[in-house]
Amino acid sequence: KTAATTTTLAAMETHHILGPPKEFNHMYGYQTADSYCIAIQLRPPYEGGGGSRQIHKITSEWDSRKGVDDLTPNDMMIKFTERSIEVCKRGGSSAWHMIRGLHGPTYQQLNREKCYWTMTKHGGRYWLISIELVKKTPGKLWSRLMRDEREANRPNMKWDKDMQKTAMIMDKGGKFVPSTYCRPTEKPKYETQEEDLDPQEVVIEELEMLEDGAADDKTAKKSWKMAELVDLRFGMEESTLSMLVSMRLDSSKWREIQRDLGTTDVFGLDIPFGGNHIRFFLKGDEESPILAGKLGGCVWRKGCRWHVEQKDGHPMLELYMPKQTPEPWSFVVEGYHSLSRTAYDPYQQMILDGLWDDEAIEEKAKGDEYFRNGEYRSAVTCYDRTLERNPDSYITLTNRAAARLAFETEKFKLEEILEDAQRALEINPQWYKAKFREGVILSKLHRYDEALWALEEGQRMDRSNHPGWEEEINTVKEERVKWHNRKKRSYLQDVE
């Protein structure tokens, strides 16, 4: 694959943000000449800032306030027709809420038989809904996804009786899932059908090829090994849109393999539907892949490609993978240490902690300064802005909980603050400061036994053995005694 081909392919792709304008909604689009792909980060309901506790303004809260671990494909319902798309999530026991910006007629027609979706879990942070729409008439980029964007962004809902008409199928585990759902490690139905060709036709084609090429193929072709050709000292370049992995090829071996095989198409790339696994290999040596395993995030398989370029007099193999979401990855492929991000400076540590956007970093710094000066309400405002851009920053969640604890006293507000601490622990279960905040909040809610358990567990996590743990544990024990010994009103003095 030449550099000119790569430039042409790059010109036929676009990245953009979907959903209502001027709102942080964590919906991302990626378009190629033949497909339109959508990624939706689905997070717990208690993640957003402000008094209304919104995740993002395109969806309502989950039924019974489900956490990340409780979501299933049956909490989403995504329907396709040749001219429209509907993306709904369960909003209650009998209601489904349509995700704003993703319901209504599409800009042009879709190939309905090839439109599928899947969902992949990313730690304790979020579920990623990946939707792959295949265009009926490929070859051009659409100017937009929905025909009427204003109408598509209006809030809407459907009752359960309407959604019951959606076709369901039974998966391998015996559970019913929507018929348009594809498991993240598998291929869609239409691709598996294309691979299952008629055996008789294959035999006839092979016989014809053998007869035509019998005279030419008198000598057996050499079998090439990946280790002879590829230098596994990887290079890595990452942006918010893509991940690029590069490796050097042996110049003489690269020329030989092209002459021997008569083509430059010598590498194979296999990425399943969910985009969170990879298998990159040299054809003929599939048992020794160049890269194989779980990716550090999800990529759009429709845009993944490789090419070979001459750089500094050497052929360089580059693997290009467009990312579904803009967050930095802590590693590229699991198990490859040279493709992992290490915390060799404070900025890299911030990225590993989920804080990577420049404006979010500035807002967090302002919030920290306000907090140190005792201006807690201003600090909370800054932390809210940070979490709108980087919702996975567990340190910011913990700081916001600490700032709100300084001035909030109502029970329902304290429960909201508790959700911040618990959310931070979902993202990083070993974050001992979140355990400390959780213990303090539980104590203020008069749940003293749970508070002591949280503080003692956090003390075991913190290797510094700070004396503040023992002080807070003793304080909670004293408060528990005072609470149980408080003067209670008698029956006659109490009101009905």
Side-chain angles (χ1 to χ4, degrees):
K1 298 188 179 182
T2 62
T5 308
T6 306
T7 306
T8 305
L9 289 169
M12 292 297 288
E13 69 175 14
T14 58
H15 297 260
H16 45 273
I17 297 175
L18 298 171
K22 298 180 181 178
E23 293 182 6
F24 289 97
N25 45 50
H26 305 290
M27 294 200 315
Y28 307 96
Y30 173 76
Q31 185 183 183
T32 64
D34 62 346
S35 66
Y36 205 113
C37 305
I38 305 161
I40 308 169
Q41 289 181 336
L42 220 52
R43 301 173 181 274
Y46 44 76
E47 186 152 295
S52 56
R53 309 298 294 172
Q54 301 170 79
I55 314 188
H56 30 74
K57 294 168 184 164
I58 55 170
T59 59
S60 62
E61 291 193 352
W62 293 103
D63 183 23
S64 304
R65 299 179 72 79
K66 289 185 176 181
V68 172
D69 293 329
D70 302 320
L71 303 185
T72 68
N74 289 319
D75 288 309
M76 297 293 299
M77 197 66 75
I78 303 177
K79 299 167 69 174
F80 309 107
T81 67
E82 288 191 350
R83 295 181 179 273
S84 68
I85 176 177
E86 280 186 7
V87 182
C88 307
K89 58 167 284 295
R90 192 183 295 277
S93 57
S94 61
W96 292 78
H97 291 265
M98 293 187 180
I99 292 185
R100 291 171 61 188
L102 294 178
H103 64 88
T106 51
Y107 183 67
Q108 291 186 16
Q109 291 188 16
L110 303 172
N111 189 339
R112 186 172 64 89
E113 302 297 326
K114 295 185 177 180
C115 295
Y116 283 87
W117 67 278
T118 190
M119 55 192 296
T120 50
K121 185 182 176 186
H122 293 255
R125 298 180 295 163
Y126 59 86
W127 280 92
L128 185 67
I129 312 298
S130 305
I131 306 172
E132 195 174 280
L133 307 175
V134 178
K135 302 175 182 177
K136 193 166 188 178
T137 53
K140 292 183 178 180
L141 296 178
W142 296 356
S143 59
R144 58 185 183 274
L145 173 60
M146 310 306 292
R147 180 180 295 176
D148 187 346
E149 292 187 337
R150 184 175 180 179
E151 186 66 29
N153 280 309
R154 292 183 186 278
N156 207 340
M157 63 161 295
K158 281 194 171 184
W159 295 109
D160 197 43
K161 61 182 181 181
D162 299 319
M163 301 306 292
Q164 286 172 3
K165 300 173 185 177
T166 305
M168 305 286 282
I169 58 172
M170 184 180 289
D171 64 5
K172 294 180 180 179
K175 297 180 180 179
F176 283 96
V177 295
S179 59
T180 53
Y181 176 76
C182 174
R183 294 177 66 85
T185 54
E186 298 177 358
K187 291 184 178 180
K189 187 177 179 181
Y190 73 91
E191 289 189 6
T192 56
Q193 289 175 344
E194 290 172 359
E195 291 176 358
D196 295 338
L197 299 173
D198 187 356
Q200 293 182 352
E201 294 179 2
V202 175
V203 171
I204 293 170
E205 289 178 3
E206 287 180 351
L207 287 172
E208 290 175 353
M209 290 171 64
L210 286 170
E211 290 172 359
D212 295 340
D216 300 331
D217 271 336
K218 291 181 181 179
T219 58
K221 289 183 179 179
K222 179 181 176 181
S223 60
W224 292 91
K225 298 294 182 184
M226 181 274 294
E228 300 175 351
L229 177 66
V230 182
D231 184 352
L232 295 180
R233 289 177 291 182
F234 300 105
M236 178 182 73
E237 291 181 26
E238 184 180 14
S239 70
T240 56
L241 302 179
S242 63
M243 175 67 73
L244 184 70
V245 179
S246 58
M247 57 216 83
R248 184 177 289 186
L249 302 179
D250 186 278
S251 301
S252 59
K253 299 290 184 183
W254 175 239
R255 288 193 294 269
E256 285 181 36
I257 195 171
Q258 290 181 87
R259 285 197 299 265
D260 186 42
L261 301 178
T263 178
T264 58
D265 187 17
V266 299
F267 297 101
L269 179 60
D270 183 19
I271 296 178
F273 187 78
N276 59 345
H277 285 79
I278 188 174
R279 194 164 180 276
F280 186 44
F281 54 90
L282 175 67
K283 292 179 180 178
D285 190 19
E286 287 83 357
E287 295 182 358
S288 302
I290 302 170
L291 291 171
K294 183 180 178 182
L295 291 169
C298 285
V299 298
W300 293 119
R301 65 187 191 121
K302 290 286 187 180
C304 293
R305 55 188 180 268
W306 61 267
H307 61 274
V308 178
E309 287 185 1
Q310 288 289 332
K311 289 188 177 180
D312 300 328
H314 295 275
M316 188 70 71
L317 173 62
E318 294 185 342
L319 175 62
Y320 172 81
M321 296 179 286
K323 294 159 60 175
Q324 292 193 21
T325 56
E327 290 89 359
W329 296 0
S330 57
F331 62 89
V332 181
V333 183
E334 195 171 38
Y336 291 77
H337 298 294
S338 60
L339 291 175
S340 299
R341 189 185 298 277
T342 54
Y344 52 82
D345 59 31
Y347 180 70
Q348 296 293 327
Q349 185 62 53
M350 277 196 297
I351 291 175
L352 291 172
D353 292 340
L355 192 65
W356 52 271
D357 184 89
D358 288 341
E359 291 187 28
I361 292 171
E362 290 177 11
E363 289 294 338
K364 181 183 178 295
K366 289 179 186 175
D368 293 345
E369 190 63 28
Y370 281 131
F371 185 91
R372 294 187 186 102
N373 294 334
E375 301 176 43
Y376 300 114
R377 294 181 188 272
S378 299
V380 169
T381 303
C382 292
Y383 293 144
D384 286 344
R385 293 173 186 157
T386 301
L387 290 167
E388 277 185 333
R389 293 184 171 274
N390 293 170
D392 297 326
S393 176
Y394 60 90
I395 294 177
T396 308
L397 282 163
T398 312
N399 291 357
R400 184 169 72 175
R404 295 190 68 191
L405 267 176
F407 62 86
E408 298 286 12
T409 54
E410 294 94 341
K411 182 181 177 183
F412 75 96
K413 293 290 185 182
L414 290 172
E415 288 172 347
E416 287 181 0
I417 302 170
L418 178 62
E419 288 171 347
D420 273 354
Q422 291 174 341
R423 176 67 182 141
L425 287 166
E426 277 186 349
I427 299 171
N428 184 359
Q430 300 301 315
W431 182 228
Y432 55 87
K433 284 192 177 180
K435 271 290 178 187
F436 183 84
R437 304 297 178 207
E438 185 185 26
V440 173
I441 301 163
L442 288 168
S443 174
K444 288 182 179 291
L445 290 168
H446 307 300
R447 294 158 60 177
Y448 297 106
D449 292 338
E450 295 176 57
L452 287 171
W453 181 85
L455 290 168
E456 288 169 358
E457 187 179 20
Q459 187 180 25
R460 288 192 292 270
M461 292 179 187
D462 186 6
R463 297 180 181 178
S464 65
N465 198 22
H466 195 278
W469 290 103
E470 284 297 332
E471 293 173 9
E472 189 62 35
I473 289 172
N474 292 332
T475 302
V476 171
K477 288 179 178 178
E478 291 172 6
E479 291 292 332
R480 181 173 61 176
V481 172
K482 289 179 184 178
W483 175 254
H484 288 300
N485 293 339
R486 72 189 185 281
K487 188 176 181 182
K488 300 175 184 176
R489 289 185 178 180
S490 67
Y491 173 75
L492 294 175
Q493 291 175 340
D494 201 1
V495 294
E496 292 298 332

